[in-house]
Amino acid sequence: MAELSLAQLHPSLDDPVLLSMNLLNDIASDHPQAVSFAAGRPYEEFFRVEQLHGYLDTFVTHLTEVVGLTDEEARRTVFQYGRTKGIIHDLVARYLEIDEGITVDPDAVVVTVGSQEAMFLTLRSLRASPQDVVLAVAPTYFGLTGAARLLDMPVLDVGDGDGGLDLADLGRQVATARAGGQRPRALYLVPDFSNPTGTSLDLATRIALLDLAADLDLLIIEDNPYGLFQADPATRPPTLKALDTRHQVVHVGSFAKTGLPGARVGFVVADQPVTRDGRPAGTLADQLSLIKSNVTLNTSPVAQAVIGGKLLRHGCSMVAANKREIEVYRANLRHVLTGLTARFAATGPVTWNTPAGGFFVVLTVPFAVDDRSLRRSARDHGVIWTPMHHFHTGMASSHQIRLSFSLLDDASIDEGLDRLTAFVTAEAKTPGHSA
Amino acid sequence: MAELSLAQLHPSLDDPVLLSMNLLNDIASDHPQAVSFAAGRPYEEFFRVEQLHGYLDTFVTHLTEVVGLTDEEARRTVFQYGRTKGIIHDLVARYLEIDEGITVDPDAVVVTVGSQEAMFLTLRSLRASPQDVVLAVAPTYFGLTGAARLLDMPVLDVGDGDGGLDLADLGRQVATARAGGQRPRALYLVPDFSNPTGTSLDLATRIALLDLAADLDLLIIEDNPYGLFQADPATRPPTLKALDTRHQVVHVGSFAKTGLPGARVGFVVADQPVTRDGRPAGTLADQLSLIKSNVTLNTSPVAQAVIGGKLLRHGCSMVAANKREIEVYRANLRHVLTGLTARFAATGPVTWNTPAGGFFVVLTVPFAVDDRSLRRSARDHGVIWTPMHHFHTGMASSHQIRLSFSLLDDASIDEGLDRLTAFVTAEAKTPGHSA
């Protein structure tokens, strides 16, 4: 009988980073009654099946009435294999202009199977030899680390400092890597409401980063799943891509949070000029498209039509499309912060940060937190969350907890925070568990 | 300004294999009026946008009425992030039982973004070190070769002999590879109506292949996009997976031809037991799922719902769902073969094969055929087709042409064959072009 040993399969399959998501999902499904501060899914109370029908019809009507296709051509666009770079690239470019102030040639957009594929394609293009490495602001979303592991590409940590990025550490890490014979290709970060910390870079740091990256000859991979969910829209600084005048930024986006996760539609803007033997040879987007045609061929046109329809119904603004959701996230963030203050401000020594939006708050507790602590929290206290060590590339132990609040309401936040308080109290008292 | 040289990007991006699809698409779009024997897309005259609505509703109703989910749970299943291995795995397993005689645990099925992702995940799992290589029956579908290139995994050719596979050559290639320090992991082939040759393996060869692969300790990757399109259903031998009693076969399937391409839904059956330090650790499907969660996270649940609904409407039989299409393909195959006989049987020396179904016929002409010949054919004679060298891993020149007939009708076949005759006559007369 054909039997395979893990030792004969790709080494990443035995790497804790790849196992994180499964392990966390397992704990969650073992405790379905627990209040979950773990899930990073968007708010779902406004989902209706009728919306899918409406979005599809809107997109098909757009193809015939605005683009000018015949009925047969419109059908073919949605039903058949399609353009590798996508069929809603022009709508994505309009959305970026309207919501993000990013002006980009639609031909530099590659529509992908979520932002995960966008990161995977980008890393595949840049990992040309074993010397190539990617830097990432730590703690780091494990989707980036996982993609890098699959490509045998080392991820070097860069400190997040006080404001979300330690620029001096970036310079040091690049210098050390180069001295060691490595070739740093890009820095990955989530500048707005980072996953996992919720932190955002201020404008001065963004500008300084762009200048430093230019000096260091380093691309920036900007991942922007949460940017539109600012608690106070007036205070949001521009994205790195909106500030990018030198084609330094590969901008990765997702409609999982603003459109619907079930479409699995994301994109990457890669307008970097590429040369062959010194002569112009298109853009990095063209190269990502070549890779994509051998990974997934193209992103489902049916799924793209659903997202395209949602964009069209709201004038290509996902801020407009998510008015109600943005209000929910804002209220939930406020409720979590108020609730934490009410429960921990007097007693200490639990602390937390104060994000300006997004889905996440980080709690620092007076004991080390690992997956066993999470299991105890789920089993004994009925509340789950994400231990921060899953976001450290070396899985180093941590005193931090990521709380996600996107899927909750006031009552479940209150109940969850009460349970979390009980967990923290119990853990802090147990000598064997504290550190 | 950030500018990238191709020399700094992954070497596959400068490989002719990755450029094949783009080049062929470019020639096709430069000549929109040409009759196309190039496109491998399914027949599209029966597509209706209303079908998408119907399929979605059928699937959601199935979730509530048969599976027993609440409306909210059903909505969540389609709208939210989902199970990495897919949400229609049980329907895929029923389909495999009904249409293919394959009995498989639904948990060994991973629903993928088309068969391309299925091949990519499988090769990623098996390419554990630089010694690992995959064998492929040549000529080979370039989606397999492209995926291997992205993973720096060599593809070794195995001859296709008279009946679609030269078993002695398989043994020789494995022995030579091992003697050279390589580790052959699997043989890739399309046993039913191969792309590009249209050839099918007979039952005796299938059984002999399974035995030989067991002796050689080699997995088989069976790619089955066309199996249901047999001209005479009574004569189709069982798939390799249906004959597989030793978990030797990784079975890759696609709903692009039988469902709709625009859903981009395929799957892989990988029931191979995996061990960790000698102890059971699930199946290869579990490992492919881990990889998938870092490539595309999951296959669009909306797209899966469309395919799920189509399956449900036809009792999980794609043979039943494709009654009309199967009749079209059968009639087109007959019409092409009759047309070739009428035009070339007397004059020679053009020859062709006689597939028992599928989408493709191979023509052998008395001159070498390359992309320049294709451009002349398109420009001077208004007919396009696929030069066979694109299916040879070394892109060796060839006297063969792949004719695809899935998208045509009788009149366009007649017109296309007339134009092809003119092209062949002109080329054969031109000394500079003949070889």
Side-chain angles (χ1 to χ4, degrees), chain A residues 49 52-53 56-57 79, chain B residues 48-62 260 305-314:
Chain A
V49 172
L52 297 178
H53 298 306
L56 278 171
D57 285 338
F79 274 79
Chain B
R48 294 294 174 274
V49 173
E50 300 71 56
Q51 292 163 352
L52 297 179
H53 298 304
Y55 297 153
L56 277 171
D57 286 337
T58 298
F59 184 72
V60 172
T61 304
H62 166 78
L260 63 146
V306 168
I307 296 299
K310 183 162 183 175
L311 282 166
L312 286 163
R313 286 197 166 201
H314 299 278

CSV table of all heavy atoms in Angstrom, one decimal, chain A residues 49 52-53 56-57 79, chain B residues 48-62 260 305-314:
chain,number,residue,atom,x,y,z
A,49,VAL,N,-29.1,35.9,1.1
A,49,VAL,CA,-28.8,35.1,-0.1
A,49,VAL,C,-29.3,36.0,-1.4
A,49,VAL,O,-28.6,35.9,-2.4
A,49,VAL,CB,-29.5,33.7,-0.1
A,49,VAL,CG1,-29.4,33.1,-1.5
A,49,VAL,CG2,-28.9,32.9,1.0
A,52,LEU,N,-26.7,37.9,-3.4
A,52,LEU,CA,-25.9,37.3,-4.4
A,52,LEU,C,-26.5,37.4,-5.8
A,52,LEU,O,-25.9,37.7,-6.8
A,52,LEU,CB,-25.6,35.8,-4.1
A,52,LEU,CG,-24.9,35.5,-2.8
A,52,LEU,CD1,-24.8,34.0,-2.6
A,52,LEU,CD2,-23.5,36.1,-2.8
A,53,HIS,N,-27.8,37.1,-5.8
A,53,HIS,CA,-28.6,37.3,-7.1
A,53,HIS,C,-28.5,38.7,-7.6
A,53,HIS,O,-28.3,38.9,-8.7
A,53,HIS,CB,-30.1,36.9,-6.9
A,53,HIS,CG,-30.2,35.4,-6.4
A,53,HIS,ND1,-29.7,34.4,-7.1
A,53,HIS,CD2,-30.8,34.9,-5.4
A,53,HIS,CE1,-30.0,33.2,-6.5
A,53,HIS,NE2,-30.7,33.5,-5.4
A,56,LEU,N,-25.0,39.6,-8.9
A,56,LEU,CA,-24.8,39.0,-10.2
A,56,LEU,C,-25.5,39.7,-11.3
A,56,LEU,O,-24.9,40.0,-12.4
A,56,LEU,CB,-25.2,37.5,-10.2
A,56,LEU,CG,-24.3,36.5,-9.6
A,56,LEU,CD1,-25.0,35.1,-9.4
A,56,LEU,CD2,-23.0,36.3,-10.5
A,57,ASP,N,-26.8,40.0,-11.1
A,57,ASP,CA,-27.6,40.7,-12.1
A,57,ASP,C,-27.0,42.1,-12.4
A,57,ASP,O,-27.0,42.5,-13.6
A,57,ASP,CB,-29.0,40.7,-11.7
A,57,ASP,CG,-29.7,39.4,-11.8
A,57,ASP,OD1,-29.2,38.5,-12.6
A,57,ASP,OD2,-30.7,39.2,-11.2
A,79,PHE,N,-19.3,33.0,-17.5
A,79,PHE,CA,-19.3,31.5,-17.5
A,79,PHE,C,-18.0,30.8,-17.8
A,79,PHE,O,-17.7,29.8,-17.4
A,79,PHE,CB,-20.4,31.0,-18.4
A,79,PHE,CG,-21.8,30.9,-17.8
A,79,PHE,CD1,-22.5,32.0,-17.7
A,79,PHE,CD2,-22.3,29.7,-17.4
A,79,PHE,CE1,-23.8,32.0,-17.1
A,79,PHE,CE2,-23.6,29.6,-16.8
A,79,PHE,CZ,-24.3,30.8,-16.7
B,48,ARG,N,-26.9,30.0,-19.6
B,48,ARG,CA,-27.9,31.0,-19.3
B,48,ARG,C,-27.6,31.6,-17.9
B,48,ARG,O,-27.3,30.8,-17.0
B,48,ARG,CB,-29.3,30.5,-19.3
B,48,ARG,CG,-29.8,30.0,-20.7
B,48,ARG,CD,-29.9,31.1,-21.7
B,48,ARG,NE,-30.3,30.6,-23.0
B,48,ARG,CZ,-29.4,30.2,-23.9
B,48,ARG,NH1,-28.1,30.2,-23.7
B,48,ARG,NH2,-29.8,29.7,-25.1
B,49,VAL,N,-27.6,32.9,-17.8
B,49,VAL,CA,-27.4,33.5,-16.5
B,49,VAL,C,-28.3,33.0,-15.4
B,49,VAL,O,-28.0,32.8,-14.2
B,49,VAL,CB,-27.4,35.1,-16.6
B,49,VAL,CG1,-27.3,35.7,-15.2
B,49,VAL,CG2,-26.3,35.6,-17.5
B,50,GLU,N,-29.6,32.7,-15.8
B,50,GLU,CA,-30.6,32.2,-14.8
B,50,GLU,C,-30.1,30.9,-14.2
B,50,GLU,O,-30.5,30.6,-13.0
B,50,GLU,CB,-31.9,31.9,-15.5
B,50,GLU,CG,-32.6,33.1,-16.2
B,50,GLU,CD,-31.8,33.6,-17.4
B,50,GLU,OE1,-31.6,32.8,-18.4
B,50,GLU,OE2,-31.4,34.7,-17.5
B,51,GLN,N,-29.3,30.1,-14.9
B,51,GLN,CA,-28.8,28.9,-14.3
B,51,GLN,C,-28.0,29.2,-13.0
B,51,GLN,O,-28.1,28.4,-12.0
B,51,GLN,CB,-27.8,28.2,-15.3
B,51,GLN,CG,-28.6,27.6,-16.5
B,51,GLN,CD,-27.6,27.3,-17.6
B,51,GLN,OE1,-26.4,27.6,-17.6
B,51,GLN,NE2,-28.2,26.7,-18.7
B,52,LEU,N,-27.2,30.3,-13.0
B,52,LEU,CA,-26.5,30.6,-11.8
B,52,LEU,C,-27.4,30.8,-10.6
B,52,LEU,O,-27.2,30.3,-9.5
B,52,LEU,CB,-25.6,31.8,-12.0
B,52,LEU,CG,-24.5,31.8,-13.0
B,52,LEU,CD1,-23.8,33.1,-13.1
B,52,LEU,CD2,-23.5,30.6,-12.7
B,53,HIS,N,-28.5,31.5,-10.8
B,53,HIS,CA,-29.4,31.8,-9.7
B,53,HIS,C,-30.1,30.5,-9.3
B,53,HIS,O,-30.2,30.2,-8.1
B,53,HIS,CB,-30.5,32.7,-10.2
B,53,HIS,CG,-30.0,34.1,-10.6
B,53,HIS,ND1,-29.3,34.9,-9.7
B,53,HIS,CD2,-30.1,34.8,-11.8
B,53,HIS,CE1,-29.0,36.0,-10.4
B,53,HIS,NE2,-29.5,36.0,-11.6
B,54,GLY,N,-30.4,29.6,-10.2
B,54,GLY,CA,-31.1,28.4,-9.9
B,54,GLY,C,-30.1,27.4,-9.1
B,54,GLY,O,-30.5,26.8,-8.1
B,55,TYR,N,-28.9,27.4,-9.6
B,55,TYR,CA,-27.9,26.5,-8.9
B,55,TYR,C,-27.7,26.9,-7.4
B,55,TYR,O,-27.7,26.1,-6.5
B,55,TYR,CB,-26.6,26.4,-9.6
B,55,TYR,CG,-26.6,25.9,-11.0
B,55,TYR,CD1,-25.7,26.3,-12.0
B,55,TYR,CD2,-27.6,24.9,-11.4
B,55,TYR,CE1,-25.7,25.7,-13.3
B,55,TYR,CE2,-27.6,24.4,-12.7
B,55,TYR,CZ,-26.7,24.8,-13.6
B,55,TYR,OH,-26.7,24.3,-14.9
B,56,LEU,N,-27.5,28.3,-7.3
B,56,LEU,CA,-27.3,28.8,-5.9
B,56,LEU,C,-28.5,28.5,-5.0
B,56,LEU,O,-28.3,28.0,-3.9
B,56,LEU,CB,-27.2,30.3,-6.0
B,56,LEU,CG,-25.8,30.9,-6.3
B,56,LEU,CD1,-25.9,32.4,-6.6
B,56,LEU,CD2,-24.8,30.6,-5.2
B,57,ASP,N,-29.7,28.7,-5.5
B,57,ASP,CA,-30.9,28.5,-4.7
B,57,ASP,C,-31.0,27.0,-4.3
B,57,ASP,O,-31.4,26.6,-3.2
B,57,ASP,CB,-32.2,28.9,-5.4
B,57,ASP,CG,-32.3,30.5,-5.4
B,57,ASP,OD1,-31.7,31.1,-4.5
B,57,ASP,OD2,-32.9,31.0,-6.2
B,58,THR,N,-30.7,26.1,-5.3
B,58,THR,CA,-30.8,24.7,-5.1
B,58,THR,C,-29.9,24.3,-4.0
B,58,THR,O,-30.2,23.5,-3.1
B,58,THR,CB,-30.5,23.9,-6.4
B,58,THR,OG1,-31.4,24.2,-7.4
B,58,THR,CG2,-30.5,22.4,-6.1
B,59,PHE,N,-28.7,24.8,-4.0
B,59,PHE,CA,-27.7,24.4,-3.0
B,59,PHE,C,-28.1,24.9,-1.6
B,59,PHE,O,-28.0,24.2,-0.6
B,59,PHE,CB,-26.3,25.0,-3.3
B,59,PHE,CG,-25.2,24.5,-2.4
B,59,PHE,CD1,-24.8,23.2,-2.4
B,59,PHE,CD2,-24.7,25.4,-1.5
B,59,PHE,CE1,-23.8,22.8,-1.5
B,59,PHE,CE2,-23.7,25.0,-0.6
B,59,PHE,CZ,-23.3,23.7,-0.6
B,60,VAL,N,-28.6,26.2,-1.5
B,60,VAL,CA,-28.9,26.7,-0.2
B,60,VAL,C,-30.1,26.0,0.3
B,60,VAL,O,-30.2,25.6,1.5
B,60,VAL,CB,-29.2,28.3,-0.3
B,60,VAL,CG1,-29.8,28.8,1.0
B,60,VAL,CG2,-27.9,29.0,-0.7
B,61,THR,N,-31.1,25.6,-0.5
B,61,THR,CA,-32.2,24.8,-0.1
B,61,THR,C,-31.8,23.5,0.4
B,61,THR,O,-32.3,23.0,1.4
B,61,THR,CB,-33.2,24.7,-1.3
B,61,THR,OG1,-33.6,26.0,-1.7
B,61,THR,CG2,-34.5,23.9,-0.8
B,62,HIS,N,-30.9,22.9,-0.3
B,62,HIS,CA,-30.3,21.6,0.2
B,62,HIS,C,-29.7,21.7,1.6
B,62,HIS,O,-29.9,20.8,2.4
B,62,HIS,CB,-29.2,21.2,-0.8
B,62,HIS,CG,-28.3,20.0,-0.4
B,62,HIS,ND1,-28.7,18.7,-0.4
B,62,HIS,CD2,-27.1,20.1,0.1
B,62,HIS,CE1,-27.7,18.0,0.0
B,62,HIS,NE2,-26.7,18.7,0.3
B,260,LEU,N,-19.2,24.5,-14.9
B,260,LEU,CA,-18.9,25.7,-15.8
B,260,LEU,C,-17.5,26.2,-15.4
B,260,LEU,O,-17.1,26.3,-14.3
B,260,LEU,CB,-20.0,26.8,-15.7
B,260,LEU,CG,-20.2,27.5,-14.4
B,260,LEU,CD1,-20.7,28.9,-14.6
B,260,LEU,CD2,-21.3,26.7,-13.6
B,305,ALA,N,-21.0,26.6,-4.3
B,305,ALA,CA,-22.5,26.5,-4.2
B,305,ALA,C,-23.1,26.4,-5.6
B,305,ALA,O,-24.0,25.6,-5.8
B,305,ALA,CB,-23.0,27.7,-3.5
B,306,VAL,N,-22.5,27.1,-6.6
B,306,VAL,CA,-23.0,27.0,-8.0
B,306,VAL,C,-22.8,25.6,-8.5
B,306,VAL,O,-23.7,25.0,-9.1
B,306,VAL,CB,-22.3,28.0,-8.9
B,306,VAL,CG1,-22.5,27.8,-10.3
B,306,VAL,CG2,-22.7,29.5,-8.5
B,307,ILE,N,-21.6,25.0,-8.3
B,307,ILE,CA,-21.3,23.7,-8.8
B,307,ILE,C,-22.2,22.7,-8.0
B,307,ILE,O,-22.7,21.7,-8.5
B,307,ILE,CB,-19.8,23.4,-8.7
B,307,ILE,CG1,-19.0,24.3,-9.6
B,307,ILE,CG2,-19.6,21.9,-9.0
B,307,ILE,CD1,-19.4,24.1,-11.1
B,308,GLY,N,-22.2,22.9,-6.7
B,308,GLY,CA,-23.1,22.0,-5.8
B,308,GLY,C,-24.5,22.0,-6.3
B,308,GLY,O,-25.1,20.9,-6.4
B,309,GLY,N,-25.0,23.1,-6.6
B,309,GLY,CA,-26.4,23.2,-7.1
B,309,GLY,C,-26.6,22.4,-8.4
B,309,GLY,O,-27.6,21.7,-8.6
B,310,LYS,N,-25.6,22.6,-9.3
B,310,LYS,CA,-25.7,21.9,-10.6
B,310,LYS,C,-25.7,20.4,-10.3
B,310,LYS,O,-26.4,19.6,-11.0
B,310,LYS,CB,-24.6,22.3,-11.5
B,310,LYS,CG,-24.7,21.6,-12.9
B,310,LYS,CD,-23.9,22.3,-14.0
B,310,LYS,CE,-24.0,21.7,-15.3
B,310,LYS,NZ,-23.4,22.4,-16.5
B,311,LEU,N,-24.8,19.9,-9.5
B,311,LEU,CA,-24.7,18.5,-9.1
B,311,LEU,C,-26.1,18.0,-8.6
B,311,LEU,O,-26.6,17.0,-9.0
B,311,LEU,CB,-23.6,18.2,-8.1
B,311,LEU,CG,-22.2,18.2,-8.6
B,311,LEU,CD1,-21.2,18.3,-7.5
B,311,LEU,CD2,-22.0,16.9,-9.5
B,312,LEU,N,-26.6,18.8,-7.6
B,312,LEU,CA,-27.9,18.4,-6.9
B,312,LEU,C,-29.0,18.3,-7.9
B,312,LEU,O,-29.9,17.4,-7.8
B,312,LEU,CB,-28.2,19.4,-5.8
B,312,LEU,CG,-27.3,19.2,-4.6
B,312,LEU,CD1,-27.4,20.5,-3.7
B,312,LEU,CD2,-27.7,18.0,-3.8
B,313,ARG,N,-29.0,19.2,-8.9
B,313,ARG,CA,-30.2,19.2,-9.9
B,313,ARG,C,-30.1,18.0,-10.8
B,313,ARG,O,-31.1,17.8,-11.5
B,313,ARG,CB,-30.1,20.5,-10.7
B,313,ARG,CG,-30.5,21.7,-9.9
B,313,ARG,CD,-30.8,22.8,-10.9
B,313,ARG,NE,-31.5,23.8,-10.1
B,313,ARG,CZ,-32.3,24.8,-10.6
B,313,ARG,NH1,-32.5,24.8,-11.9
B,313,ARG,NH2,-32.9,25.6,-9.9
B,314,HIS,N,-29.0,17.3,-10.8
B,314,HIS,CA,-28.9,16.2,-11.7
B,314,HIS,C,-28.5,14.9,-11.0
B,314,HIS,O,-27.8,14.1,-11.5
B,314,HIS,CB,-27.9,16.5,-12.8
B,314,HIS,CG,-28.3,17.7,-13.7
B,314,HIS,ND1,-29.1,17.6,-14.7
B,314,HIS,CD2,-27.9,19.0,-13.6
B,314,HIS,CE1,-29.3,18.8,-15.3
B,314,HIS,NE2,-28.6,19.6,-14.6
